[in-house]
Amino acid sequence: MATDLLLLVAALILDLLVGDPSWLLHPTQVMGAGINLLERLLWRPGARPAYLISTGGILVVIIISTTWTVTRVLLWLAGNISHWLEFVLAAWLLATTIAPRGLATAGRAIARALKAGDLGAARRQVGLIVGRDTDSLTAIGVTRATVETIAENTSDGVVAPLFYFFLGGVPLAMVYRAINTLDSMLGYKNERYLFFGRMAARLDDLANYVPARITGLAICVAAFFLGQGRRAWITMLRDARKHPSPNSGYPEAAMAGALGVQLGGLNYYQGIPSHRPLMGQALRELEPGDIDRAITLMAGATAIITMAGGIYLAFRIYWH
């Protein structure tokens, strides 16, 4: 249990210092290759919904069980060689499940482009981190997309993997990352994935149910130190359920309230319009500086969750 506390600190330091270097194979790349392979083997054009749902479920079970097993085996093998090797491997694996540095780096690059008046560069940069069409976004649209993504990924990319690490160690954190990867690749409501990706989408909703609400609360607490905690809390309680996702509304509504801006509105996905309910009150217009403020709130929420998790692990050590 004491090792878990050290792992938490080591993983956060690794992410802050190194992040996810492009030259190093990332576990999600391996997961993605496995998902692609199984999809080619199992998906059939024109197949009945029952077949697609069941085979999509089989794919999910194979990826999750393989992720859990491979993680446990790798750590066991490393432990048989050296406890230090096991610790370093576990810290690196945990660091690959979180992305506060990557979120902050991407957000700052977009903010710099907007502040420099280079809307084209800002559109290209935001296109790397969002799924919506970005070619015709205004500066305000780019800012909104970035702030919404930072809010949502504070849950998916920071709080949720740490939450599952606290519950079940590095293997469970890796399983969460596998679930998130499955949803990002298969969880679309289009002709190909409506049925085949249904299990992946539902499981992702379930896995994020508690972490998303914890994230919203953590953003509210972080906003409290900036003098906007009450507004963030009221906005989250009022607007979170408006979001079509059962989870994304909590961090996004809390972020909107903390910043005093309005999120949501019209997005386009492959040219198809999609209107998202408005969250928060437009006390002022969105500006590039809101990206920096969102990053600050993300960092604050990360610190709060880390401290809360550290206290939880310390209590486990004390009562063991």
Side-chain angles (χ1 to χ4, degrees):
M1 292 181 189
T3 304
D4 287 343
L5 195 55
L6 293 174
L7 274 177
L8 173 63
V9 175
L12 286 167
I13 291 173
L14 269 175
D15 179 75
L16 290 173
L17 293 180
V18 180
D20 296 318
S22 58
W23 53 266
L24 186 61
L25 183 67
H26 197 282
T28 56
Q29 293 174 283
V30 180
M31 295 173 190
I35 293 167
N36 278 328
L37 174 62
L38 289 171
E39 182 182 348
R40 287 196 298 271
L41 292 173
L42 296 172
W43 186 83
R44 295 288 183 272
R48 292 182 178 181
Y51 170 85
L52 294 172
I53 291 172
S54 60
T55 52
I58 290 170
L59 186 155
V60 167
V61 170
I62 292 173
I63 292 296
I64 289 176
S65 58
T66 301
T67 299
W68 171 271
T69 303
V70 169
T71 303
R72 291 295 299 267
V73 169
L74 286 175
L75 292 174
W76 177 77
L77 290 173
N80 282 335
I81 297 170
S82 164
H83 290 303
W84 279 110
L85 179 60
E86 180 185 14
F87 179 85
V88 170
L89 177 61
W92 174 70
L93 288 173
L94 181 58
T96 65
T97 69
I98 58 176
R101 175 188 168 116
L103 270 176
T105 300
R108 290 190 184 110
I110 296 165
R112 281 196 301 270
L114 289 172
K115 291 172 185 176
D118 192 346
L119 182 56
R123 287 170 174 167
R124 288 191 295 273
Q125 291 285 342
V126 77
L128 298 175
I129 62 171
V130 301
R132 71 192 69 175
D133 299 344
T134 61
D135 290 346
S136 59
L137 288 180
T138 63
I140 291 175
V142 170
T143 302
R144 176 168 71 85
T146 307
V147 170
E148 289 172 353
T149 297
I150 290 171
E152 183 178 357
N153 281 284
T154 300
S155 178
D156 294 356
V158 182
V159 176
L162 290 180
F163 173 79
Y164 285 105
F165 168 69
F166 298 144
L167 289 182
V170 174
L172 195 57
M174 292 296 292
V175 164
Y176 170 77
R177 182 50 58 214
I179 292 171
N180 194 247
T181 304
L182 282 160
D183 179 65
S184 69
M185 295 180 66
L186 307 178
Y188 297 99
K189 294 180 179 179
N190 56 28
E191 184 178 353
R192 183 179 180 90
Y193 294 117
L194 180 62
F195 298 109
F196 188 73
R198 181 166 295 182
M199 183 68 74
R202 294 291 182 269
L203 185 58
D204 185 73
D205 287 343
L206 181 63
N208 282 297
Y209 188 86
V210 173
R213 286 149 180 80
I214 293 174
T215 304
L217 177 60
I219 290 173
C220 290
V221 175
F224 172 80
F225 292 100
L226 301 178
Q228 305 300 337
R230 183 173 182 273
R231 189 172 66 199
W233 175 252
I234 290 172
T235 304
M236 182 179 73
L237 292 181
R238 185 190 67 218
D239 294 344
R241 291 181 182 87
K242 295 178 182 178
H243 201 287
S245 162
N247 300 316
S248 299
Y250 287 87
E252 288 188 27
M255 186 69 77
L259 297 177
V261 299
Q262 196 167 69
L263 300 177
L266 184 62
N267 300 330
Y268 286 86
Y269 298 88
Q270 297 179 333
I272 301 171
S274 174
H275 189 273
R276 300 297 173 89
L278 300 175
M279 294 180 291
Q281 291 179 296
L283 302 178
R284 57 179 180 79
E285 202 168 62
L286 278 158
E287 60 184 25
D290 286 316
I291 297 174
D292 299 314
R293 298 180 190 102
I295 291 169
T296 298
L297 287 164
M298 181 270 292
T302 300
I304 289 161
I305 293 302
T306 300
M307 288 187 289
I311 292 169
Y312 166 71
L313 292 174
F315 268 106
R316 284 178 59 192
I317 295 168
Y318 178 79
W319 290 109
H320 184 64

